Amino acid sequence: MNNTAEPAIDTGIMILSSPPEDIQIIPDTVRIEGHFDADTSRDIGYGVFFGRIDSEKPTEEGVEVTSETQYIVRFRDNKIKPMPVVTGRHIRLVNEGDLDGDGDDDISIFVQSMHACMYTASTWSYIAGRWTRITDYWTIPTACDYLSDEDLENRIVMEDGVLYYYETDITDKDLPLVKKELTLLIK
């Protein structure tokens, strides 16, 4: 019998409605700024660690326990609700500007897979007091190489009123980027 007590995990930070001023006390924090709602003030959001989901997977030798990390994007001003929780190794956030024509900035969230060398991307807009996904999900294979913020920022472009994204062509050994139309789910 093991009488060693594990130290309690301080979850107080997870129940705050807004992140604290000093983001250094939050693990895996990313920050985004923009005008995401209809007012004129600059909004600041933080992608923060939310929790872990442990699952058991049967193996030939017994049971393997795997853990998946969850993140949420919360905003300093409580008038903007948090974005939906996502699960992945880590997240990256990009302010895409106004893609859906509502006058407010939109956010792309890039979620690195827990089990593969790729990101899953989607773009969101704050509409009528809640976050709405405005694009389909699409993937970015990385070959386990680091992608810079600039690489991610350049994955979605608006040209002559048409929205495009750059997809990696995995059938070509040089992995070139191919421009494809990205349809908005809302009009």
Side-chain angles (χ1 to χ4, degrees), residues 130-160:
R130 68 182 191 85
W131 288 99
T132 302
R133 186 169 51 86
I134 61 171
T135 65
D136 281 327
Y137 293 101
W138 49 284
T139 59
I140 302 174
T142 65
C144 294
D145 291 335
Y146 175 77
L147 293 179
S148 71
D149 289 344
E150 185 178 7
D151 290 334
L152 295 177
E153 289 166 4
N154 292 327
R155 287 297 177 125
I156 297 178
V157 296
M158 180 79 78
E159 294 177 359
D160 299 322

Side-chain angles (χ1 to χ4, degrees), residues 29-82:
T29 301
V30 293
R31 177 182 163 124
I32 190 163
E33 292 187 30
H35 296 281
F36 304 115
D37 62 357
D39 69 12
T40 58
S41 65
R42 189 128 182 102
D43 304 308
I44 299 173
Y46 300 90
V48 297
F49 171 81
F50 184 74
R52 291 197 192 283
I53 299 173
D54 292 329
S55 61
E56 296 180 357
K57 294 183 179 178
T59 64
E60 289 182 16
E61 300 169 3
V63 174
E64 173 188 5
V65 176
T66 59
S67 181
E68 295 184 343
T69 308
Q70 294 181 306
Y71 293 90
I72 191 168
V73 180
R74 292 188 173 138
F75 292 83
R76 180 179 287 177
D77 187 339
N78 291 333
K79 65 184 175 17
I80 298 179
K81 293 179 182 170

Side-chain angles (χ1 to χ4, degrees), residues 30 32 71 73 83 86-96 106-113 118-124 135 137-142 147-157 165-166 182:
V30 293
I32 190 163
Y71 293 90
V73 180
M83 294 181 78
V86 296
T87 301
R89 186 172 296 142
H90 70 261
I91 63 171
R92 311 270 292 277
L93 304 172
V94 172
N95 179 339
E96 299 290 358
D106 303 313
I107 297 175
S108 285
I109 184 165
F110 297 85
V111 182
Q112 187 178 21
S113 169
M118 64 184 249
Y119 283 97
T120 300
S122 59
T123 304
W124 297 74
T135 65
Y137 293 101
W138 49 284
T139 59
I140 302 174
T142 65
L147 293 179
S148 71
D149 289 344
E150 185 178 7
D151 290 334
L152 295 177
E153 289 166 4
N154 292 327
R155 287 297 177 125
I156 297 178
V157 296
Y165 71 103
Y166 285 93
L182 185 60

